[in-house]
Amino acid sequence: MAAIVSYQEACTRRQPLMVADYTETDSDESYYVTPYFGALPANVDPNPSAEMLEQPQAYYVEQPPQATVPPHYHDTNQFQVFLRGHGLFGKKPVGALAVHYANGHTPYGPIVTTDREIHYLTLRNRWDSGGKTMPQCRPTLRRLPRRFRMVEDFALPELAGLAPGTCRRDDVLPCEDDGLGVSLFALGPAAESTLALAGPGAGRYALVLNGAVETDAGAIDTGGCLHIGPADESAYRAGARGAAILVMQFPPEPF
C-alpha cells in the first residue's frame, strides 16, 4: 500500500528553517520547511526516531527572496519539483512548473533568488543526512556515475475537458533503462490507474497537482502526495472532478 500525506496534514508541520552556512539570505524573510514524509536531514533534525529514518524522505522548502542555497550534492538520488516563484538554478532561470533530478553524488546548484521567492518539493526514496556543500566537501564526493535531468515547459492538464473514466499519460521524461522517468497523468472523473510508468523502477512519488485522488488509506487533493513502492500494483481512483498527477520514478540508488 502506498504511503500518503495530504497537503492539509503536511501544512500542520510547517516550521522556520535555518541551517548554518547553508540557508543564506539578505532578506528579512525566513526560509520555511514543511515535512511530508520521514525524517528531515540531520542538519535540521539531529535526533530523528529510528522509525522515521526507515521511511522515504520528502519535504517542501520555501526559499525567500535574496537567498542562496550553495552548490552541493547528496548521498541519495532525488527529485525536486519547483511549484511556485522564480529563481536561478545554477546559471539557468527556473520557475513553476519544473522537475529536477540528480543522482546521488551529483553536484548541482546554487539555487538563487533575487526579488522573488521560490518554493520546491524535495523527494527521496530514503533518508538523506543533508546537502554536502561544494567545494568544501569535494573530498567525500564519490566517483559514481553522475546524472542530472531538468524537465520544464510542460502544461498542467485541464480537468474540465476530461471525460469520466478516461486516463492519459504524458511521458515528460521518458523512462530510461534503469527506470528513471517522469510522467504526467490526466484522469477523468472516477478514472482508475496504477500510476505506473512505461517501465519498472525503484519506487515513485505521485504528486496531485489538481483535483483529488482516492486511495485505500483515504482521499488526498491538490498538494497531496503518495509514495508508491516498486512492488505496489494498487489502482488509484480520481475524484469527482478528475485529477492531474505528476509521477516521478527513481532508478536504483548508486550504492
Side-chain angles (χ1 to χ4, degrees):
M1 179 187 300
I4 72 169
V5 64
S6 69
Y7 176 73
Q8 293 81 4
E9 177 189 350
C11 284
T12 65
R13 301 192 283 265
R14 181 177 182 258
Q15 58 190 272
L17 174 66
M18 183 54 65
V19 179
D21 301 320
Y22 202 86
T23 52
E24 302 297 335
T25 177
D26 293 325
S27 170
D28 292 333
E29 302 177 41
S30 173
Y31 282 78
Y32 284 89
V33 63
T34 299
Y36 267 63
F37 292 106
L40 291 168
N43 54 7
V44 182
D45 180 5
N47 297 300
S49 69
E51 178 184 2
M52 295 286 277
L53 288 174
E54 293 300 316
Q55 298 178 20
Q57 184 185 66
Y59 51 86
Y60 185 77
V61 174
E62 300 170 47
Q63 181 172 330
Q66 302 174 41
T68 298
V69 172
H72 63 281
Y73 69 89
H74 292 272
D75 294 330
T76 60
N77 299 335
Q78 74 161 29
F79 284 100
Q80 285 177 310
V81 188
F82 293 88
L83 292 165
R84 179 180 174 184
H86 185 271
L88 290 175
F89 193 95
K91 297 180 180 180
K92 184 177 180 180
V94 66
L97 181 66
V99 181
H100 159 243
Y101 171 82
N103 271 3
H105 288 261
T106 297
Y108 65 89
I111 305 174
V112 180
T113 55
T114 53
D115 59 334
R116 296 173 61 187
E117 62 188 6
I118 194 165
H119 295 185
Y120 41 92
L121 183 63
T122 298
L123 306 162
R124 303 188 181 103
N125 248 344
R126 68 182 191 189
W127 182 76
D128 184 88
S129 63
K132 282 73 176 175
T133 57
M134 293 290 286
Q136 296 89 338
C137 294
R138 189 177 300 278
T140 57
L141 181 64
R142 298 194 180 192
R143 293 177 179 267
L144 297 169
R146 297 181 184 178
R147 182 162 42 173
F148 177 99
R149 302 286 185 269
M150 179 69 84
V151 182
E152 302 175 276
D153 301 326
F154 55 93
L156 190 63
E158 293 288 343
L159 300 187
L162 297 175
T166 60
C167 176
R168 186 177 76 242
R169 188 190 76 213
D170 179 18
D171 297 330
V172 295
L173 178 63
C175 265
E176 301 183 14
D177 290 344
D178 58 0
L180 172 64
V182 180
S183 293
L184 190 59
F185 285 78
L187 305 184
E192 290 191 354
S193 174
T194 61
L195 303 179
L197 271 61
R204 60 196 186 275
Y205 279 95
L207 174 64
V208 182
L209 297 176
N210 197 6
V213 173
E214 298 172 3
T215 78
D216 290 341
I220 56 173
D221 55 13
T222 303
C225 194
L226 302 85
H227 181 268
I228 305 171
D232 191 336
E233 298 181 354
S234 301
Y236 306 95
R237 180 189 295 267
R241 294 178 49 239
I245 307 163
L246 184 67
V247 180
M248 295 149 284
Q249 182 168 273
F250 288 89
E253 292 293 330
F255 59 90

